[in-house]
Amino acid sequence: MSIDLSAYGWSGDLPDGDGRLGRIVRVDRGECDVVTADGRVRALSDSQRSQDLTAPVTGDWVFLDDDPELGLLISSVLERSNTVSRRDPSEQVVEQVLVANVDVVLIVHGLDRPLPPGRLERFLVVAWDSGAEVAVVLTKADKRGSPVDDVSATVAAVAPGVPVLAVGLGAGTGFGLGPVLAMVGEGRTVALLGESGSGKSTLVNALLGEERLETGEVRSADSRGRHTTVSRELVRLADGGLLVDTPGIRSIGIWDSEEALDRVFGDLEELSTACRYSDCVHDTEPDCAVTAAVADGRMDRRRVDRYRALSAELDEQHQREQERERRGRGDRRGRRR
Ligand SMILES: Nc1nc2c(ncn2[C@@H]2O[C@H](COP(=O)(O)OP(=O)(O)OP(=O)(O)O)[C@@H](O)[C@H]2O)c(=O)[nH]1
Ligand SMILES: [Mg+2]
Ligand SMILES: [Zn+2]
């Protein structure tokens, strides 16, 4: 079997390098599924690789080596055009790349639950930080009394200019897929992010036209999902789009994303140019334009608080990185002695 890798988003000439080129379509426990010109293969991902090397993720282009003892190994990860990254949910302050080489991020929200603006802001920062196009997909619009208009208004307020697409994929229905398909487009890689139970896998299946991915009922009391999807998986649509389904995440930690943060809080950034101090954090500083706007009702205090919390998160990240760097230098000196 021979596969044209341009169908998986490869553009241009085949790169120089050792081994076979392929794209990672799934990663689990140290092994990956990789699509190569000769078909889909399974390769060892990280167990034999040094910690310093880039850990391969779904969406990566890689070279494979055939090791006589270990079998297929990922020998190198090609330079990424971009990544969708968050702060690793573990204790350490490190980056976790969710998906690499992404053209579009779809933030998927189910209309059977509330959409706290703070959650949307976090997803937006992560999505915009990738540099990919961003849209919000509201699912379950077929359910009786779905608050499509209210939630669309929330999205428009938090994310001006971001397309909002509503779909209804309940049994016996299926509307709104056209605009989603139009965003996907041929050869483009589209990552779906959202809470468990929001309907990411259901949407992928609807676009595929078959029940390929597992989906799970939500809890009836509070519409929470059951974390049905456990790995990030890239699937190809018949008409050429590449979708990456991901496990649900309730809240997302932001990572190294000052610019995207400023974009999400553009209104606040603009106001702050009129603060007396250029490094004003809009707390107790005198002549703060943001505090003044809160006082006369032009700005929502909670939105300011959320901005400050996210900024503090990025500050903490940078501090920890600097500490780590200092310690790293110390170690190296120590070893040399
Ligand atoms: N009525 C209706 N139900 C939907 C729609 N989309 C998803 N659902 C239901 O919502 C539940 C959760 O869907 P999933 O696709 O498993 O959600 P998920 O986002 O993939 O969840 P995780 O894999 O846990 O992250 C399932 O029972 C789906 O049938 C929709 O548009 N309308
Ligand atoms: Mg799923
Ligand atoms: Zn200020």
Side-chain angles (χ1 to χ4, degrees):
M1 181 170 72
S2 172
I3 293 176
D4 180 2
L5 287 178
S6 65
Y8 279 84
W10 182 261
S11 57
D13 301 330
L14 287 187
D16 292 329
D18 296 329
R20 259 154 88 185
L21 176 68
R23 189 166 197 196
I24 298 187
V25 292
R26 188 186 163 116
V27 181
D28 39 0
R29 283 184 226 89
E31 293 200 345
C32 328
D33 287 342
V34 184
V35 171
T36 71
D38 318 313
R40 187 170 172 135
V41 297
R42 191 112 175 120
L44 276 180
S45 128
D46 49 15
S47 40
Q48 303 296 320
R49 290 161 58 84
S50 132
Q51 288 291 308
D52 296 340
L53 295 175
T54 308
V57 301
T58 301
D60 265 325
W61 288 97
V62 296
F63 279 121
L64 297 175
D65 248 357
D66 208 351
D67 184 275
E69 274 169 41
L70 299 163
L72 284 175
L73 295 178
I74 290 177
S75 54
S76 61
V77 176
L78 274 66
E79 199 186 325
R80 295 163 172 163
S81 61
N82 67 347
T83 64
V84 179
S85 297
R86 66 163 167 178
R87 176 164 161 169
D88 193 295
S90 71
E91 287 298 293
Q92 301 150 30
V93 183
V94 292
E95 176 182 14
Q96 182 185 49
V97 178
L98 296 175
V99 193
N101 306 312
V102 174
D103 299 295
V104 182
V105 175
L106 297 180
I107 300 171
V108 181
H109 171 74
L111 290 165
D112 54 349
R113 68 199 72 196
L115 176 58
R119 184 181 309 146
L120 179 58
E121 285 160 357
R122 282 179 176 277
F123 276 101
L124 255 187
V125 171
V126 167
W128 264 339
D129 180 59
S130 72
E133 282 174 44
V134 179
V136 173
V137 181
L138 305 176
T139 63
K140 317 196 188 188
D142 54 298
K143 289 202 153 194
R144 273 246 296 241
S146 288
V148 184
D149 294 340
D150 288 355
V151 176
S152 301
T154 304
V155 178
V158 170
V162 170
V164 185
L165 317 173
V167 298
L169 305 172
T173 54
F175 61 83
L177 285 177
V180 180
L181 269 176
M183 281 229 62
V184 174
E186 201 182 325
R188 299 222 296 172
T189 302
V190 180
L192 286 77
L193 298 183
E195 245 191 300
S196 178
S198 61
K200 300 175 295 297
S201 305
T202 303
L203 179 59
V204 173
N205 284 341
L207 294 167
L208 279 167
E210 60 174 295
E211 303 297 306
R212 195 179 315 170
L213 303 177
E214 203 187 329
T215 62
E217 296 280 313
V218 299
R219 297 199 308 215
S220 53
D222 55 8
S223 300
R224 282 238 212 159
R226 296 167 194 272
H227 294 282
T228 308
T229 303
V230 292
S231 63
R232 297 185 276 272
E233 180 157 3
L234 184 150
V235 300
R236 186 172 181 277
L237 301 181
D239 51 7
L242 303 162
L243 302 178
V244 183
D245 189 19
T246 65
I249 29 186
R250 190 160 177 77
S251 183
I252 194 160
I254 61 173
W255 184 258
D256 202 9
S257 44
E258 269 80 6
E259 268 178 50
L261 183 66
D262 291 350
R263 187 166 162 196
V264 173
F265 291 91
D267 49 344
L268 220 148
E269 276 296 303
E270 205 177 297
L271 266 178
S272 65
T273 56
C275 294
R276 186 201 293 185
Y277 300 109
S278 62
D279 58 352
C280 185
V281 296
H282 325 306
D283 187 13
T284 55
E285 290 85 349
D287 294 330
C288 169
V290 174
T291 307
V294 170
D296 64 20
R298 277 174 296 140
M299 172 66 74
D300 181 0
R301 171 88 254 167
R302 286 165 302 185
R303 187 163 154 81
V304 177
D305 290 342
R306 294 195 301 266
Y307 170 77
R308 296 181 59 221
L310 290 172
S311 300
E313 244 173 73
L314 291 184
D315 286 347
E316 189 210 347
Q317 176 204 324
H318 293 312
Q319 244 165 42
R320 292 287 213 64
E321 280 177 329
Q322 275 165 7
E323 275 165 32
R324 205 156 34 222
E325 209 170 280
R326 271 198 300 274
R327 270 202 311 272
R329 275 203 300 273
D331 284 354
R332 274 196 290 282
R333 267 201 301 277
R335 269 203 301 275
R336 237 178 261 134
R337 240 178 260 139

